[in-house]
């Protein structure tokens, strides 16, 4: 029976799966909803994510990763088991599974992810740090000899890593990312317009008129919120300039964190980064002008990866194809029988 191997990206917002020979097969909300009446699982994935926005009393919605950190391990295990179990159907026999996980995950958590993945039907499993996986997914070669800075801008964290020869030489993670940007937009509208908007609306605004620089030709959109004074629904316009104002501090925090990492990097790596440039991955890399704005401020070439939010899943796919090469770089792939000593 042929083995179709699986790559999983465990993100704060999305869980994305890559199947060898098929590419990305799904990208769903990394969430689960429980029925409060009997504590049973009600929904997993997008359906659970949608419930979170509506917060019905009958359900409790949990997200296993908050701010890039696994906040509820049993929930994470249940979601992983569900999806891997679904992918390991009769046509797929004990596949190899690569899991791209937040780089701050502890060894114990790593072991539990491996165990959960094996329990769900996997053969060989490896949990690999997201910056490496994303870099490979963006096309960086594993034996690239020069230091490259990869910045993954997701929903919960911005992870800044300097990668050389397939390992993370230097890394930092900050909580300023997609979710805090949504909060900043919501706060701005509250302060400037006296209107209360939900985080779903804030995200929609970020996606539609969000900008990391002041656009010369302003664009705007219509949104709906609730007036703080009257308590009534209110339709309002919001422009790209206003969203730029709302996000300015967030961009500054990201810029400062990059400068911090650059300053701490040894001289050799520093000059490598200046020469090689910076690669942006993750959904927030799609914020218009972020690459250009960072490049102008840093004086270094900054490139947005193609299809940035899928780099980690694609990178997991790359690793599946090149396990031998990865092993030569010190990565190990564990069988269920050999995980005890992780
Ligand atoms: N076109 C876009 N413009 C701005 N932000 C975007 C866009 N597309 C996705 N995002 C944001 O990217 C973040 C999700 O990125 P992703 O890399 O999928 O996160 P994670 O790995 O944490 O699950 C969210 O905050 C989402 O709102
Ligand atoms: Mg991610």
């Amino acid at each position: 029976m042929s083995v179709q191997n699986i790559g999983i990206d465990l993100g704060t917002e999305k869980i994305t799966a890559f199947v060898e020979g098929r590419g990305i097969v799904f990208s769903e909300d990394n969430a689960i909803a429980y029925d409060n009446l009997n504590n049973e699982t009600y929904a997993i994935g997008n359906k659970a994510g949608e419930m979170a926005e509506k917060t019905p009393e009958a359900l409790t919605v949990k997200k296993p990763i908050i701010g890039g950190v696994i906040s509820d391990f049993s929930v994470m295990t249940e979601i992983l088991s569900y999806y891997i179990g679904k992918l390991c159907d009769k046509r797929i026999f004990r596949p190899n599974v690569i899991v791209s996980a937040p780089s701050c995950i502890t060894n114990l958590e790593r072991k539990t992810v491996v165990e959960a993945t094996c329990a769900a039907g996997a053969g060989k499993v490896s949990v690999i740090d997201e910056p490496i996986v994303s870099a490979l997914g963006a096309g960086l070669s594993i034996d690239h000899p020069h230091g490259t800075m990869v910045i993954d801008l997701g929903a919960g964290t911005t992870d800044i890593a300097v990668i050389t020869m397939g390992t993370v030489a230097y890394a930092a993670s900050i909580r300023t990312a997609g979710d805090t940007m949504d909060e900043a937009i919501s706060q701005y509208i509250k302060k400037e317009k006296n209107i209360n908007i939900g985080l779903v609306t804030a995200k929609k605004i970020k996606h539609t008129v969000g900008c990391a620089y002041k656009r010369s030709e302003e664009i705007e959109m219509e949104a709906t919120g609730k007036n703080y004074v009257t308590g009534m629904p209110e339709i309002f316009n919001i422009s790209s300039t206003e969203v730029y104002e709302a996000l300015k501090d967030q961009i500054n925090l990201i810029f400062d964190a990059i400068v911090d990492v650059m300053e701490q990097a040894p001289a050799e790596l520093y000059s490598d980064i200046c020469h090689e440039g910076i690669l942006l991955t993750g959904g927030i890399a799609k914020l218009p002008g972020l690459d250009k704005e960072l490049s102008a401020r840093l004086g270094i070439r900054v490139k947005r990866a193609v299809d940035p939010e899928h780099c980690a899943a694609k990178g997991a796919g790359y690793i599946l194809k090149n396990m031998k090469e990865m092993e030569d770089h010190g990565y190990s792939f564990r069988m269920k029988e050999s995980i005890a000593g992780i």
Side-chain angles (χ1 to χ4, degrees):
M1 199 179 295
S2 73
V3 177
Q4 279 175 299
N5 299 316
I6 300 169
I8 304 259
D9 168 26
L10 282 181
T12 298
E13 184 163 287
K14 300 279 182 197
I15 176 164
T16 306
F18 181 103
V19 172
E20 221 178 2
R22 286 166 64 193
I24 291 172
V25 288
F26 66 77
S27 185
E28 294 250 341
D29 288 348
N30 197 0
I32 190 165
Y34 294 103
D35 188 327
N36 290 339
L37 260 185
N38 50 19
N39 266 337
E40 279 179 11
T41 304
Y42 175 81
I44 293 180
N46 287 348
K47 197 169 166 201
E50 281 161 25
M51 295 294 166
E53 290 153 22
K54 301 191 176 96
T55 56
E57 273 177 21
L59 299 174
T60 300
V61 178
K62 290 192 176 172
K63 290 188 160 212
I65 304 186
I66 295 175
V69 179
I70 298 183
S71 62
D72 191 323
F73 220 80
S74 62
V75 163
M76 185 71 264
T77 307
E78 187 178 343
I79 295 176
L80 256 182
S81 304
Y82 169 77
Y83 281 118
I84 293 172
K86 229 170 120 163
L87 291 170
C88 292
D89 67 7
K90 292 181 193 73
R91 287 170 296 131
I92 305 177
F93 180 68
R94 304 239 334 143
N96 298 323
V97 181
I98 302 298
V99 182
S100 155
S103 37
C104 47
I105 182 171
T106 65
N107 275 347
L108 187 65
E109 288 174 338
R110 200 174 285 267
K111 182 170 180 261
T112 316
V113 169
V114 173
E115 278 172 349
T117 311
C118 286
K124 281 187 181 177
V125 177
S126 191
V127 179
I128 302 184
D129 290 347
E130 180 165 14
I132 296 283
V133 186
S134 294
L136 294 172
L140 197 79
S141 125
I142 185 79
D143 44 18
H144 189 69
H146 303 292
T148 308
M149 182 177 271
V150 178
I151 308 178
D152 183 78
L153 303 115
T157 53
T158 294
D159 293 304
I160 304 161
V162 182
I163 291 174
T164 177
M165 292 298 288
T167 53
V168 176
Y170 236 79
S173 180
I174 56 165
R175 293 282 297 264
T176 305
D179 289 348
T180 55
M181 289 186 181
D182 299 343
E183 276 156 31
I185 291 172
S186 161
Q187 288 300 322
Y188 178 90
I189 291 169
K190 180 179 172 184
K191 193 166 150 256
E192 298 296 323
K193 300 183 189 279
N194 245 330
I195 295 171
N196 183 11
I197 59 162
L199 293 177
V200 176
T201 305
K203 183 179 290 186
K204 208 176 281 167
I205 291 171
K206 178 183 70 182
H207 287 196
T208 315
V209 292
C211 213
Y213 68 103
K214 208 170 188 165
R215 291 179 84 113
S216 49
E217 275 174 45
E218 208 175 61
I219 52 171
E220 64 174 36
M221 67 176 279
E222 210 172 66
T224 310
K226 194 168 143 189
N227 189 296
Y228 264 104
V229 183
T230 64
M232 298 300 284
E234 186 168 329
I235 296 171
F236 62 97
N237 281 328
I238 175 114
S239 71
S240 51
T241 306
E242 288 173 299
V243 181
Y244 160 74
E245 288 296 331
L247 295 183
K248 214 164 54 180
D249 290 348
Q250 301 278 309
I251 309 292
N252 286 340
L253 288 170
I254 291 169
F255 171 75
D256 289 348
I258 299 170
V259 171
D260 268 1
V261 173
M262 299 274 300
E263 280 175 359
Q264 286 171 42
E268 280 297 321
L269 282 180
Y270 186 94
S271 68
D272 273 2
I273 298 164
C274 294
H275 187 252
E276 297 281 314
I278 297 175
L279 182 68
L280 304 185
T281 65
I284 290 295
K286 285 161 71 176
L287 189 71
L290 184 61
D291 48 352
K292 287 194 185 68
E293 179 66 21
L294 291 176
S295 178
R297 288 208 216 173
L298 293 160
I300 298 176
R301 202 161 40 89
V302 177
K303 190 178 155 218
R304 178 202 296 155
V306 176
D307 199 11
E309 74 269 50
H310 294 141
C311 283
K314 285 183 179 166
Y318 170 90
I319 295 170
L320 290 167
K321 255 200 194 143
N322 299 280
M323 280 168 86
K324 172 79 185 66
E325 190 189 4
M326 293 298 288
E327 272 169 342
D328 292 345
H329 281 81
Y331 289 91
S332 61
F333 300 90
R334 307 284 184 135
M335 307 282 286
K336 190 179 181 183
E337 296 73 23
S338 68
I339 56 177
I342 290 176

